[in-house]
Amino acid sequence: MNVTVIGSASAASPEERALRDLYVEHGPALYAYVLRMLGGDTHRTEDIIQETLLRCWAKQNLVDDEGMAVRPWMFRVARNLVIDGHRSRAARPAEVGGAGWLAELGGEADDIERMLSSIVLRDALAALTPAHREALQATYMADCTTQQAAAVLGVPQGTVKSRVYYALRSLRAALEERGMN
């Protein structure tokens, strides 16, 4: 299967070769110009470049004649396409992001969810042994080190560490029993 793309080196007509040469000569500068106008949006930049070249092809404005300079014309067409795109987006109502309205709607649900989670957590903490519950309260809830908690509880630091370890394992299991992962 032999496919010839418009503007490729194997293009049959001189117009197609001229379009390719035009792109090779002016494409990088035009790309940089449009990319700067679009704030780095490469996808839209490529669309603008393609549309500019298609308009150049449709006008048969492929070579620099004495009366017509192609490069300024191409830059003007690209600039106008960017402006038209901006105006058409500004004329439409602003698009709503997927998470914005959901976050506003979920504000009340978050409060209820937080309250239900705290009830389940309180119930799971009540299921722990008193020694484990004290170790968690002295470390995590009081925001103390294991050394400080050991001084408060009157037990060695190693005992506090092991109680916290086993308390967290028991708490995780109790939360899973209650449907919280």
Side-chain angles (χ1 to χ4, degrees):
M1 181 168 148
N2 188 6
V3 177
T4 301
V5 178
I6 294 176
S8 69
S10 63
S13 72
E15 291 86 15
E16 291 176 2
R17 284 192 297 277
L19 182 62
R20 181 184 179 280
D21 293 342
L22 193 66
Y23 177 73
V24 168
E25 184 178 348
H26 302 293
L30 187 61
Y31 184 86
Y33 174 71
V34 174
L35 186 66
R36 195 171 42 251
M37 283 196 304
L38 293 175
D41 187 348
T42 57
H43 298 291
R44 285 188 47 219
T45 299
E46 291 168 0
D47 290 342
I48 296 291
I49 300 297
Q50 183 178 15
E51 182 63 27
T52 302
L53 288 171
L54 284 174
R55 290 189 183 188
C56 196
W57 174 263
K59 284 266 198 198
Q60 294 297 315
N61 192 11
L62 301 174
V63 292
D64 284 326
D65 293 333
E66 291 182 20
M68 176 66 182
V70 176
R71 186 179 183 115
W73 181 85
M74 288 175 61
F75 276 71
R76 174 60 66 174
V77 168
R79 180 180 176 277
N80 289 344
L81 288 170
V82 170
I83 290 170
D84 290 346
H86 175 72
R87 285 180 181 161
S88 68
R89 278 188 305 285
R92 291 188 302 245
E95 295 180 6
V96 178
W101 66 272
L102 188 59
E104 293 172 7
L105 183 65
E108 294 175 14
D110 287 344
D111 293 338
I112 294 169
E113 185 69 31
R114 210 173 305 123
M115 181 185 68
L116 291 174
S117 296
S118 68
I119 291 171
V120 172
L121 181 61
R122 191 175 323 131
D123 185 44
L125 283 170
L128 296 178
T129 64
H132 288 161
R133 197 171 32 255
E134 287 174 351
L136 285 179
Q137 287 173 344
T139 54
Y140 283 100
M141 295 177 197
D143 196 28
C144 294
T145 63
T146 55
Q147 186 177 8
Q148 294 168 334
V152 170
L153 295 173
V155 295
Q157 185 178 357
T159 303
V160 172
K161 288 181 182 180
S162 66
R163 284 183 185 174
V164 167
Y165 173 78
Y166 288 109
L168 289 174
R169 277 184 52 184
S170 299
L171 183 61
R172 188 176 302 119
L175 289 172
E176 285 177 0
E177 287 175 7
R178 288 161 177 77
M180 294 190 67
N181 297 340

